[in-house]
Amino acid sequence: MGKSTKPIVVSGIRSTGHLHLGNYLGALRNFVAMQETYQCYFFIADLHSLTTHPTPDHLQDSVRDILAEYLAAGLDIEQCALYVQSDIQETIELYLYLNMNAYLGELERCTSFKEKVRQNPNNVNAGLLTYPTLMAADILIHRADLVPVGKDQEQHLEMARTFAERFNRLYQTDLFTSPQAYQSDKPLVKIPGLDGNGKMGKSEGNAIYLADTPDQIRKKVMKAVSDIGPSTIGQPKSEPVQNLFTIMEQVSSHDTLAHFEDLYNRCEIRYGDMKKQLAEDLVTFLAPLREKIEMYRNDERYLRDVARIGAEKAHVSATETLKRVREIVGIRSLF
Ligand code: TYM
């Protein structure tokens, strides 16, 4: 079987807890939009989450949570292959081959690696160092053309291209295409956290989760960091305040955003009012998702079927790619 005529799309999310608004707006929403037009492979990156040593129970729960959240967001198993990364063992073998031509210097220079080393100097393991090669293997195992991700994954994607091109060059093949970040009509987004700086993240403790109850959302938003307010007309916004506006831009109406922009510019803004409005808009935005998440999460049998069907689909292209990689590299059994 040759490559599909539709462009191939691959993306995944780590199973390190519930999905948050950043995952949804940065990635998942695009997954849903792409599934009709492209040949899509979406997975739960359970192997990637092992770098931080979750307990087996927590890991299992997380995989089920995210599967339910994928389905709730609108991924359709008729239209895409929806699977768990570790069910496709071909990826792990490709990871090994790619590691042979991934160099220490380039892996150490990766921004996310440096950041993790800084955050957690006592857990600098080899899995963390080679995180980008495993991600490249996920992408290349299906010979993807497009990868929908948030802005924070741009460098990893660039490394996947480097590994693909290097493999092609070394073995004088055109097996791998160069996977590109998917650009919808909107630019890649980085959703900030509620703590005043940086991005919304699972480990940062600053996230709104898709499964949060309305009360949890309200409490989190009301506690979000802001500042003492502008004192001169047209004063530039501080980072925490800009963050509130950035989230509002995603979930509130154009009029609401314009209203608070105007109040800010006239130095008449009351952040309490803005947060109340933002909390209600978030509740409304997330309500349909939360109901569906609960429904899917309570149906373990269905989740099992979904994972099995997805693995079967993903196996077809993974087996074919790996077979060709083995031939190219010269790994052939003697019997
Ligand atoms: P992960 O699990 O950190 O995040 C999953 C997706 O969510 C996006 N994202 C955000 N987008 C906007 N604003 C934010 N605050 C925000 N936080 C997260 C990420 O950009 C990502 O698209 N390495 C990947 C998982 C992965 C993968 C792959 C992705 C493994 N193999 C192959 C694509 C292709 C990761 O850690 O994502």
Side-chain angles (χ1 to χ4, degrees), residues 257-291:
L257 180 68
H259 171 68
F260 286 102
E261 287 278 4
D262 184 51
L263 288 176
Y264 181 90
N265 288 330
R266 288 193 281 127
C267 300
E268 285 171 20
I269 192 156
R270 291 193 346 210
Y271 292 128
D273 293 346
M274 178 181 181
K275 287 183 190 173
K276 256 190 214 144
Q277 179 69 46
L278 178 60
E280 290 320 306
D281 290 345
L282 274 163
V283 168
T284 311
F285 184 81
L286 293 174
L289 275 169
R290 198 169 77 84
E291 277 164 30

PDB file of all heavy atoms in Angstrom, residues 257-291:
ATOM      1  N   LEU A 257     -14.961  41.795  24.641  1.00  0.00           N
ATOM      2  CA  LEU A 257     -13.531  42.116  24.634  1.00  0.00           C
ATOM      3  C   LEU A 257     -13.338  43.614  24.393  1.00  0.00           C
ATOM      4  O   LEU A 257     -12.594  44.281  25.127  1.00  0.00           O
ATOM      5  CB  LEU A 257     -12.831  41.295  23.543  1.00  0.00           C
ATOM      6  CG  LEU A 257     -11.338  41.514  23.418  1.00  0.00           C
ATOM      7  CD1 LEU A 257     -10.602  40.973  24.641  1.00  0.00           C
ATOM      8  CD2 LEU A 257     -10.784  40.858  22.153  1.00  0.00           C
ATOM      9  N   ALA A 258     -14.060  44.147  23.390  1.00  0.00           N
ATOM     10  CA  ALA A 258     -13.913  45.566  23.045  1.00  0.00           C
ATOM     11  C   ALA A 258     -14.319  46.446  24.230  1.00  0.00           C
ATOM     12  O   ALA A 258     -13.685  47.468  24.523  1.00  0.00           O
ATOM     13  CB  ALA A 258     -14.769  45.888  21.823  1.00  0.00           C
ATOM     14  N   HIS A 259     -15.365  46.031  24.938  1.00  0.00           N
ATOM     15  CA  HIS A 259     -15.844  46.784  26.098  1.00  0.00           C
ATOM     16  C   HIS A 259     -14.743  46.912  27.157  1.00  0.00           C
ATOM     17  O   HIS A 259     -14.446  48.002  27.642  1.00  0.00           O
ATOM     18  CB  HIS A 259     -17.077  46.053  26.658  1.00  0.00           C
ATOM     19  CG  HIS A 259     -17.565  46.563  27.967  1.00  0.00           C
ATOM     20  ND1 HIS A 259     -18.140  47.805  28.093  1.00  0.00           N
ATOM     21  CD2 HIS A 259     -17.560  46.002  29.207  1.00  0.00           C
ATOM     22  CE1 HIS A 259     -18.475  47.995  29.367  1.00  0.00           C
ATOM     23  NE2 HIS A 259     -18.122  46.915  30.063  1.00  0.00           N
ATOM     24  N   PHE A 260     -14.097  45.784  27.491  1.00  0.00           N
ATOM     25  CA  PHE A 260     -13.073  45.839  28.545  1.00  0.00           C
ATOM     26  C   PHE A 260     -11.783  46.509  28.048  1.00  0.00           C
ATOM     27  O   PHE A 260     -11.093  47.168  28.824  1.00  0.00           O
ATOM     28  CB  PHE A 260     -12.822  44.443  29.133  1.00  0.00           C
ATOM     29  CG  PHE A 260     -13.948  44.007  30.033  1.00  0.00           C
ATOM     30  CD1 PHE A 260     -14.909  43.112  29.600  1.00  0.00           C
ATOM     31  CD2 PHE A 260     -14.072  44.552  31.307  1.00  0.00           C
ATOM     32  CE1 PHE A 260     -15.972  42.742  30.427  1.00  0.00           C
ATOM     33  CE2 PHE A 260     -15.132  44.200  32.142  1.00  0.00           C
ATOM     34  CZ  PHE A 260     -16.076  43.293  31.698  1.00  0.00           C
ATOM     35  N   GLU A 261     -11.488  46.365  26.774  1.00  0.00           N
ATOM     36  CA  GLU A 261     -10.327  47.084  26.199  1.00  0.00           C
ATOM     37  C   GLU A 261     -10.546  48.592  26.371  1.00  0.00           C
ATOM     38  O   GLU A 261      -9.649  49.327  26.771  1.00  0.00           O
ATOM     39  CB  GLU A 261     -10.194  46.794  24.685  1.00  0.00           C
ATOM     40  CG  GLU A 261      -9.695  45.416  24.321  1.00  0.00           C
ATOM     41  CD  GLU A 261      -8.170  45.281  24.394  1.00  0.00           C
ATOM     42  OE1 GLU A 261      -7.507  46.247  24.811  1.00  0.00           O
ATOM     43  OE2 GLU A 261      -7.684  44.185  24.060  1.00  0.00           O
ATOM     44  N   ASP A 262     -11.774  49.008  26.069  1.00  0.00           N
ATOM     45  CA  ASP A 262     -12.111  50.424  26.145  1.00  0.00           C
ATOM     46  C   ASP A 262     -11.989  50.932  27.590  1.00  0.00           C
ATOM     47  O   ASP A 262     -11.388  51.975  27.847  1.00  0.00           O
ATOM     48  CB  ASP A 262     -13.552  50.581  25.613  1.00  0.00           C
ATOM     49  CG  ASP A 262     -13.959  52.026  25.567  1.00  0.00           C
ATOM     50  OD1 ASP A 262     -13.178  52.814  25.004  1.00  0.00           O
ATOM     51  OD2 ASP A 262     -15.028  52.372  26.122  1.00  0.00           O
ATOM     52  N   LEU A 263     -12.538  50.142  28.537  1.00  0.00           N
ATOM     53  CA  LEU A 263     -12.447  50.549  29.944  1.00  0.00           C
ATOM     54  C   LEU A 263     -10.984  50.649  30.376  1.00  0.00           C
ATOM     55  O   LEU A 263     -10.586  51.557  31.100  1.00  0.00           O
ATOM     56  CB  LEU A 263     -13.179  49.541  30.834  1.00  0.00           C
ATOM     57  CG  LEU A 263     -14.707  49.564  30.763  1.00  0.00           C
ATOM     58  CD1 LEU A 263     -15.295  48.445  31.619  1.00  0.00           C
ATOM     59  CD2 LEU A 263     -15.247  50.916  31.249  1.00  0.00           C
ATOM     60  N   TYR A 264     -10.181  49.675  29.909  1.00  0.00           N
ATOM     61  CA  TYR A 264      -8.761  49.698  30.286  1.00  0.00           C
ATOM     62  C   TYR A 264      -8.107  50.967  29.751  1.00  0.00           C
ATOM     63  O   TYR A 264      -7.415  51.678  30.481  1.00  0.00           O
ATOM     64  CB  TYR A 264      -8.035  48.450  29.736  1.00  0.00           C
ATOM     65  CG  TYR A 264      -6.577  48.454  30.131  1.00  0.00           C
ATOM     66  CD1 TYR A 264      -6.156  47.849  31.317  1.00  0.00           C
ATOM     67  CD2 TYR A 264      -5.620  49.103  29.348  1.00  0.00           C
ATOM     68  CE1 TYR A 264      -4.822  47.904  31.711  1.00  0.00           C
ATOM     69  CE2 TYR A 264      -4.294  49.168  29.731  1.00  0.00           C
ATOM     70  CZ  TYR A 264      -3.902  48.560  30.918  1.00  0.00           C
ATOM     71  OH  TYR A 264      -2.590  48.624  31.311  1.00  0.00           O
ATOM     72  N   ASN A 265      -8.362  51.234  28.486  1.00  0.00           N
ATOM     73  CA  ASN A 265      -7.709  52.389  27.856  1.00  0.00           C
ATOM     74  C   ASN A 265      -8.124  53.714  28.481  1.00  0.00           C
ATOM     75  O   ASN A 265      -7.390  54.689  28.431  1.00  0.00           O
ATOM     76  CB  ASN A 265      -7.989  52.401  26.347  1.00  0.00           C
ATOM     77  CG  ASN A 265      -7.211  51.296  25.660  1.00  0.00           C
ATOM     78  OD1 ASN A 265      -6.125  50.920  26.120  1.00  0.00           O
ATOM     79  ND2 ASN A 265      -7.760  50.744  24.595  1.00  0.00           N
ATOM     80  N   ARG A 266      -9.334  53.726  29.080  1.00  0.00           N
ATOM     81  CA  ARG A 266      -9.774  54.956  29.744  1.00  0.00           C
ATOM     82  C   ARG A 266      -9.446  54.957  31.233  1.00  0.00           C
ATOM     83  O   ARG A 266      -9.932  55.791  31.994  1.00  0.00           O
ATOM     84  CB  ARG A 266     -11.283  55.120  29.541  1.00  0.00           C
ATOM     85  CG  ARG A 266     -11.603  55.494  28.079  1.00  0.00           C
ATOM     86  CD  ARG A 266     -13.014  55.955  27.899  1.00  0.00           C
ATOM     87  NE  ARG A 266     -13.960  54.842  27.857  1.00  0.00           N
ATOM     88  CZ  ARG A 266     -15.033  54.723  28.620  1.00  0.00           C
ATOM     89  NH1 ARG A 266     -15.325  55.647  29.518  1.00  0.00           N
ATOM     90  NH2 ARG A 266     -15.828  53.684  28.503  1.00  0.00           N
ATOM     91  N   CYS A 267      -8.679  53.949  31.676  1.00  0.00           N
ATOM     92  CA  CYS A 267      -8.293  53.799  33.090  1.00  0.00           C
ATOM     93  C   CYS A 267      -9.508  53.626  33.992  1.00  0.00           C
ATOM     94  O   CYS A 267      -9.509  54.069  35.151  1.00  0.00           O
ATOM     95  CB  CYS A 267      -7.486  54.998  33.599  1.00  0.00           C
ATOM     96  SG  CYS A 267      -5.968  55.267  32.725  1.00  0.00           S
ATOM     97  N   GLU A 268     -10.576  53.030  33.457  1.00  0.00           N
ATOM     98  CA  GLU A 268     -11.779  52.870  34.280  1.00  0.00           C
ATOM     99  C   GLU A 268     -12.075  51.398  34.556  1.00  0.00           C
ATOM    100  O   GLU A 268     -13.155  51.047  35.048  1.00  0.00           O
ATOM    101  CB  GLU A 268     -12.976  53.506  33.565  1.00  0.00           C
ATOM    102  CG  GLU A 268     -12.943  55.021  33.649  1.00  0.00           C
ATOM    103  CD  GLU A 268     -14.000  55.672  32.769  1.00  0.00           C
ATOM    104  OE1 GLU A 268     -14.984  54.986  32.407  1.00  0.00           O
ATOM    105  OE2 GLU A 268     -13.821  56.859  32.438  1.00  0.00           O
ATOM    106  N   ILE A 269     -11.125  50.559  34.232  1.00  0.00           N
ATOM    107  CA  ILE A 269     -11.397  49.125  34.360  1.00  0.00           C
ATOM    108  C   ILE A 269     -11.410  48.685  35.826  1.00  0.00           C
ATOM    109  O   ILE A 269     -10.639  49.198  36.643  1.00  0.00           O
ATOM    110  CB  ILE A 269     -10.357  48.293  33.559  1.00  0.00           C
ATOM    111  CG1 ILE A 269     -10.817  46.840  33.466  1.00  0.00           C
ATOM    112  CG2 ILE A 269      -8.951  48.375  34.181  1.00  0.00           C
ATOM    113  CD1 ILE A 269     -10.242  46.100  32.294  1.00  0.00           C
ATOM    114  N   ARG A 270     -12.367  47.767  36.128  1.00  0.00           N
ATOM    115  CA  ARG A 270     -12.341  47.117  37.454  1.00  0.00           C
ATOM    116  C   ARG A 270     -12.119  45.634  37.170  1.00  0.00           C
ATOM    117  O   ARG A 270     -12.969  44.978  36.582  1.00  0.00           O
ATOM    118  CB  ARG A 270     -13.651  47.373  38.180  1.00  0.00           C
ATOM    119  CG  ARG A 270     -13.718  48.848  38.552  1.00  0.00           C
ATOM    120  CD  ARG A 270     -14.775  49.241  39.534  1.00  0.00           C
ATOM    121  NE  ARG A 270     -15.823  48.266  39.782  1.00  0.00           N
ATOM    122  CZ  ARG A 270     -17.066  48.620  40.122  1.00  0.00           C
ATOM    123  NH1 ARG A 270     -17.390  49.888  40.217  1.00  0.00           N
ATOM    124  NH2 ARG A 270     -17.965  47.700  40.378  1.00  0.00           N
ATOM    125  N   TYR A 271     -10.939  45.167  37.594  1.00  0.00           N
ATOM    126  CA  TYR A 271     -10.581  43.794  37.226  1.00  0.00           C
ATOM    127  C   TYR A 271     -11.564  42.763  37.777  1.00  0.00           C
ATOM    128  O   TYR A 271     -11.766  41.711  37.192  1.00  0.00           O
ATOM    129  CB  TYR A 271      -9.156  43.463  37.689  1.00  0.00           C
ATOM    130  CG  TYR A 271      -8.089  44.237  36.940  1.00  0.00           C
ATOM    131  CD1 TYR A 271      -7.120  44.956  37.619  1.00  0.00           C
ATOM    132  CD2 TYR A 271      -8.075  44.264  35.543  1.00  0.00           C
ATOM    133  CE1 TYR A 271      -6.154  45.675  36.943  1.00  0.00           C
ATOM    134  CE2 TYR A 271      -7.115  44.984  34.858  1.00  0.00           C
ATOM    135  CZ  TYR A 271      -6.159  45.685  35.563  1.00  0.00           C
ATOM    136  OH  TYR A 271      -5.210  46.402  34.882  1.00  0.00           O
ATOM    137  N   GLY A 272     -12.174  43.086  38.940  1.00  0.00           N
ATOM    138  CA  GLY A 272     -13.164  42.167  39.514  1.00  0.00           C
ATOM    139  C   GLY A 272     -14.300  41.926  38.516  1.00  0.00           C
ATOM    140  O   GLY A 272     -14.724  40.783  38.299  1.00  0.00           O
ATOM    141  N   ASP A 273     -14.762  43.003  37.875  1.00  0.00           N
ATOM    142  CA  ASP A 273     -15.854  42.877  36.898  1.00  0.00           C
ATOM    143  C   ASP A 273     -15.389  42.074  35.690  1.00  0.00           C
ATOM    144  O   ASP A 273     -16.111  41.232  35.158  1.00  0.00           O
ATOM    145  CB  ASP A 273     -16.308  44.264  36.396  1.00  0.00           C
ATOM    146  CG  ASP A 273     -16.958  45.068  37.503  1.00  0.00           C
ATOM    147  OD1 ASP A 273     -17.281  44.452  38.553  1.00  0.00           O
ATOM    148  OD2 ASP A 273     -17.124  46.294  37.332  1.00  0.00           O
ATOM    149  N   MET A 274     -14.172  42.385  35.264  1.00  0.00           N
ATOM    150  CA  MET A 274     -13.660  41.693  34.080  1.00  0.00           C
ATOM    151  C   MET A 274     -13.535  40.187  34.364  1.00  0.00           C
ATOM    152  O   MET A 274     -13.907  39.341  33.549  1.00  0.00           O
ATOM    153  CB  MET A 274     -12.297  42.258  33.686  1.00  0.00           C
ATOM    154  CG  MET A 274     -11.714  41.543  32.485  1.00  0.00           C
ATOM    155  SD  MET A 274     -10.095  42.185  32.040  1.00  0.00           S
ATOM    156  CE  MET A 274      -9.733  41.168  30.614  1.00  0.00           C
ATOM    157  N   LYS A 275     -13.022  39.857  35.550  1.00  0.00           N
ATOM    158  CA  LYS A 275     -12.852  38.436  35.894  1.00  0.00           C
ATOM    159  C   LYS A 275     -14.195  37.726  35.990  1.00  0.00           C
ATOM    160  O   LYS A 275     -14.335  36.588  35.563  1.00  0.00           O
ATOM    161  CB  LYS A 275     -12.098  38.317  37.218  1.00  0.00           C
ATOM    162  CG  LYS A 275     -10.619  38.655  37.110  1.00  0.00           C
ATOM    163  CD  LYS A 275      -9.994  38.420  38.473  1.00  0.00           C
ATOM    164  CE  LYS A 275      -8.598  38.934  38.582  1.00  0.00           C
ATOM    165  NZ  LYS A 275      -8.103  38.819  39.962  1.00  0.00           N
ATOM    166  N   LYS A 276     -15.188  38.425  36.568  1.00  0.00           N
ATOM    167  CA  LYS A 276     -16.529  37.808  36.673  1.00  0.00           C
ATOM    168  C   LYS A 276     -17.055  37.466  35.292  1.00  0.00           C
ATOM    169  O   LYS A 276     -17.572  36.371  35.046  1.00  0.00           O
ATOM    170  CB  LYS A 276     -17.501  38.785  37.352  1.00  0.00           C
ATOM    171  CG  LYS A 276     -17.785  38.396  38.785  1.00  0.00           C
ATOM    172  CD  LYS A 276     -18.923  39.233  39.337  1.00  0.00           C
ATOM    173  CE  LYS A 276     -18.642  39.474  40.820  1.00  0.00           C
ATOM    174  NZ  LYS A 276     -19.042  40.748  41.312  1.00  0.00           N
ATOM    175  N   GLN A 277     -16.908  38.428  34.374  1.00  0.00           N
ATOM    176  CA  GLN A 277     -17.386  38.198  33.010  1.00  0.00           C
ATOM    177  C   GLN A 277     -16.605  37.064  32.335  1.00  0.00           C
ATOM    178  O   GLN A 277     -17.180  36.173  31.703  1.00  0.00           O
ATOM    179  CB  GLN A 277     -17.208  39.500  32.198  1.00  0.00           C
ATOM    180  CG  GLN A 277     -17.655  39.387  30.765  1.00  0.00           C
ATOM    181  CD  GLN A 277     -19.168  39.247  30.643  1.00  0.00           C
ATOM    182  OE1 GLN A 277     -19.909  39.981  31.285  1.00  0.00           O
ATOM    183  NE2 GLN A 277     -19.618  38.285  29.841  1.00  0.00           N
ATOM    184  N   LEU A 278     -15.285  37.085  32.538  1.00  0.00           N
ATOM    185  CA  LEU A 278     -14.438  36.053  31.923  1.00  0.00           C
ATOM    186  C   LEU A 278     -14.814  34.673  32.464  1.00  0.00           C
ATOM    187  O   LEU A 278     -14.916  33.698  31.708  1.00  0.00           O
ATOM    188  CB  LEU A 278     -12.960  36.364  32.210  1.00  0.00           C
ATOM    189  CG  LEU A 278     -11.939  35.370  31.677  1.00  0.00           C
ATOM    190  CD1 LEU A 278     -12.031  35.254  30.152  1.00  0.00           C
ATOM    191  CD2 LEU A 278     -10.507  35.784  32.057  1.00  0.00           C
ATOM    192  N   ALA A 279     -15.052  34.606  33.781  1.00  0.00           N
ATOM    193  CA  ALA A 279     -15.411  33.308  34.388  1.00  0.00           C
ATOM    194  C   ALA A 279     -16.710  32.790  33.777  1.00  0.00           C
ATOM    195  O   ALA A 279     -16.798  31.618  33.402  1.00  0.00           O
ATOM    196  CB  ALA A 279     -15.550  33.463  35.900  1.00  0.00           C
ATOM    197  N   GLU A 280     -17.709  33.679  33.642  1.00  0.00           N
ATOM    198  CA  GLU A 280     -18.993  33.220  33.084  1.00  0.00           C
ATOM    199  C   GLU A 280     -18.834  32.786  31.629  1.00  0.00           C
ATOM    200  O   GLU A 280     -19.416  31.796  31.198  1.00  0.00           O
ATOM    201  CB  GLU A 280     -20.067  34.318  33.204  1.00  0.00           C
ATOM    202  CG  GLU A 280     -20.531  34.578  34.628  1.00  0.00           C
ATOM    203  CD  GLU A 280     -20.693  33.307  35.469  1.00  0.00           C
ATOM    204  OE1 GLU A 280     -21.411  32.382  35.032  1.00  0.00           O
ATOM    205  OE2 GLU A 280     -20.080  33.218  36.559  1.00  0.00           O
ATOM    206  N   ASP A 281     -18.018  33.510  30.882  1.00  0.00           N
ATOM    207  CA  ASP A 281     -17.817  33.135  29.475  1.00  0.00           C
ATOM    208  C   ASP A 281     -17.076  31.801  29.364  1.00  0.00           C
ATOM    209  O   ASP A 281     -17.356  30.996  28.475  1.00  0.00           O
ATOM    210  CB  ASP A 281     -17.073  34.245  28.725  1.00  0.00           C
ATOM    211  CG  ASP A 281     -17.963  35.479  28.549  1.00  0.00           C
ATOM    212  OD1 ASP A 281     -19.192  35.355  28.736  1.00  0.00           O
ATOM    213  OD2 ASP A 281     -17.436  36.568  28.244  1.00  0.00           O
ATOM    214  N   LEU A 282     -16.146  31.581  30.282  1.00  0.00           N
ATOM    215  CA  LEU A 282     -15.449  30.284  30.281  1.00  0.00           C
ATOM    216  C   LEU A 282     -16.404  29.147  30.634  1.00  0.00           C
ATOM    217  O   LEU A 282     -16.374  28.078  30.020  1.00  0.00           O
ATOM    218  CB  LEU A 282     -14.298  30.311  31.300  1.00  0.00           C
ATOM    219  CG  LEU A 282     -12.969  30.867  30.785  1.00  0.00           C
ATOM    220  CD1 LEU A 282     -12.054  31.230  31.945  1.00  0.00           C
ATOM    221  CD2 LEU A 282     -12.267  29.866  29.870  1.00  0.00           C
ATOM    222  N   VAL A 283     -17.261  29.400  31.624  1.00  0.00           N
ATOM    223  CA  VAL A 283     -18.234  28.372  32.021  1.00  0.00           C
ATOM    224  C   VAL A 283     -19.108  28.006  30.821  1.00  0.00           C
ATOM    225  O   VAL A 283     -19.317  26.832  30.514  1.00  0.00           O
ATOM    226  CB  VAL A 283     -19.089  28.861  33.222  1.00  0.00           C
ATOM    227  CG1 VAL A 283     -20.284  27.947  33.460  1.00  0.00           C
ATOM    228  CG2 VAL A 283     -18.239  28.968  34.490  1.00  0.00           C
ATOM    229  N   THR A 284     -19.591  29.025  30.130  1.00  0.00           N
ATOM    230  CA  THR A 284     -20.453  28.768  28.969  1.00  0.00           C
ATOM    231  C   THR A 284     -19.688  28.045  27.867  1.00  0.00           C
ATOM    232  O   THR A 284     -20.192  27.104  27.250  1.00  0.00           O
ATOM    233  CB  THR A 284     -20.977  30.115  28.394  1.00  0.00           C
ATOM    234  OG1 THR A 284     -21.487  30.876  29.481  1.00  0.00           O
ATOM    235  CG2 THR A 284     -22.033  29.913  27.347  1.00  0.00           C
ATOM    236  N   PHE A 285     -18.462  28.472  27.640  1.00  0.00           N
ATOM    237  CA  PHE A 285     -17.638  27.888  26.582  1.00  0.00           C
ATOM    238  C   PHE A 285     -17.379  26.396  26.854  1.00  0.00           C
ATOM    239  O   PHE A 285     -17.400  25.573  25.940  1.00  0.00           O
ATOM    240  CB  PHE A 285     -16.314  28.672  26.535  1.00  0.00           C
ATOM    241  CG  PHE A 285     -15.378  28.270  25.431  1.00  0.00           C
ATOM    242  CD1 PHE A 285     -15.561  28.750  24.145  1.00  0.00           C
ATOM    243  CD2 PHE A 285     -14.291  27.438  25.680  1.00  0.00           C
ATOM    244  CE1 PHE A 285     -14.683  28.397  23.120  1.00  0.00           C
ATOM    245  CE2 PHE A 285     -13.415  27.075  24.657  1.00  0.00           C
ATOM    246  CZ  PHE A 285     -13.614  27.565  23.377  1.00  0.00           C
ATOM    247  N   LEU A 286     -17.146  26.079  28.129  1.00  0.00           N
ATOM    248  CA  LEU A 286     -16.732  24.701  28.447  1.00  0.00           C
ATOM    249  C   LEU A 286     -17.883  23.765  28.816  1.00  0.00           C
ATOM    250  O   LEU A 286     -17.691  22.541  28.851  1.00  0.00           O
ATOM    251  CB  LEU A 286     -15.698  24.717  29.595  1.00  0.00           C
ATOM    252  CG  LEU A 286     -14.353  25.362  29.234  1.00  0.00           C
ATOM    253  CD1 LEU A 286     -13.449  25.455  30.464  1.00  0.00           C
ATOM    254  CD2 LEU A 286     -13.633  24.568  28.136  1.00  0.00           C
ATOM    255  N   ALA A 287     -19.071  24.333  29.071  1.00  0.00           N
ATOM    256  CA  ALA A 287     -20.181  23.490  29.559  1.00  0.00           C
ATOM    257  C   ALA A 287     -20.482  22.279  28.669  1.00  0.00           C
ATOM    258  O   ALA A 287     -20.571  21.154  29.181  1.00  0.00           O
ATOM    259  CB  ALA A 287     -21.436  24.338  29.754  1.00  0.00           C
ATOM    260  N   PRO A 288     -20.615  22.468  27.353  1.00  0.00           N
ATOM    261  CA  PRO A 288     -20.951  21.288  26.532  1.00  0.00           C
ATOM    262  C   PRO A 288     -19.856  20.218  26.577  1.00  0.00           C
ATOM    263  O   PRO A 288     -20.152  19.020  26.552  1.00  0.00           O
ATOM    264  CB  PRO A 288     -21.071  21.857  25.112  1.00  0.00           C
ATOM    265  CG  PRO A 288     -20.853  23.314  25.192  1.00  0.00           C
ATOM    266  CD  PRO A 288     -20.492  23.694  26.575  1.00  0.00           C
ATOM    267  N   LEU A 289     -18.616  20.659  26.664  1.00  0.00           N
ATOM    268  CA  LEU A 289     -17.512  19.687  26.726  1.00  0.00           C
ATOM    269  C   LEU A 289     -17.578  18.868  28.007  1.00  0.00           C
ATOM    270  O   LEU A 289     -17.443  17.649  28.013  1.00  0.00           O
ATOM    271  CB  LEU A 289     -16.170  20.437  26.710  1.00  0.00           C
ATOM    272  CG  LEU A 289     -15.612  20.800  25.353  1.00  0.00           C
ATOM    273  CD1 LEU A 289     -14.445  21.753  25.486  1.00  0.00           C
ATOM    274  CD2 LEU A 289     -15.130  19.523  24.660  1.00  0.00           C
ATOM    275  N   ARG A 290     -17.806  19.579  29.125  1.00  0.00           N
ATOM    276  CA  ARG A 290     -17.766  18.907  30.425  1.00  0.00           C
ATOM    277  C   ARG A 290     -18.823  17.799  30.522  1.00  0.00           C
ATOM    278  O   ARG A 290     -18.546  16.699  30.990  1.00  0.00           O
ATOM    279  CB  ARG A 290     -17.975  19.921  31.546  1.00  0.00           C
ATOM    280  CG  ARG A 290     -17.537  19.407  32.895  1.00  0.00           C
ATOM    281  CD  ARG A 290     -17.518  20.535  33.879  1.00  0.00           C
ATOM    282  NE  ARG A 290     -18.861  20.859  34.308  1.00  0.00           N
ATOM    283  CZ  ARG A 290     -19.507  20.232  35.277  1.00  0.00           C
ATOM    284  NH1 ARG A 290     -18.921  19.251  35.926  1.00  0.00           N
ATOM    285  NH2 ARG A 290     -20.728  20.579  35.603  1.00  0.00           N
ATOM    286  N   GLU A 291     -19.995  18.081  30.008  1.00  0.00           N
ATOM    287  CA  GLU A 291     -21.063  17.070  30.064  1.00  0.00           C
ATOM    288  C   GLU A 291     -20.671  15.822  29.289  1.00  0.00           C
ATOM    289  O   GLU A 291     -20.852  14.700  29.744  1.00  0.00           O
ATOM    290  CB  GLU A 291     -22.349  17.631  29.452  1.00  0.00           C
ATOM    291  CG  GLU A 291     -23.124  18.465  30.432  1.00  0.00           C
ATOM    292  CD  GLU A 291     -24.160  19.333  29.734  1.00  0.00           C
ATOM    293  OE1 GLU A 291     -24.667  18.927  28.661  1.00  0.00           O
ATOM    294  OE2 GLU A 291     -24.451  20.424  30.267  1.00  0.00           O
TER     295      GLU A 291
END
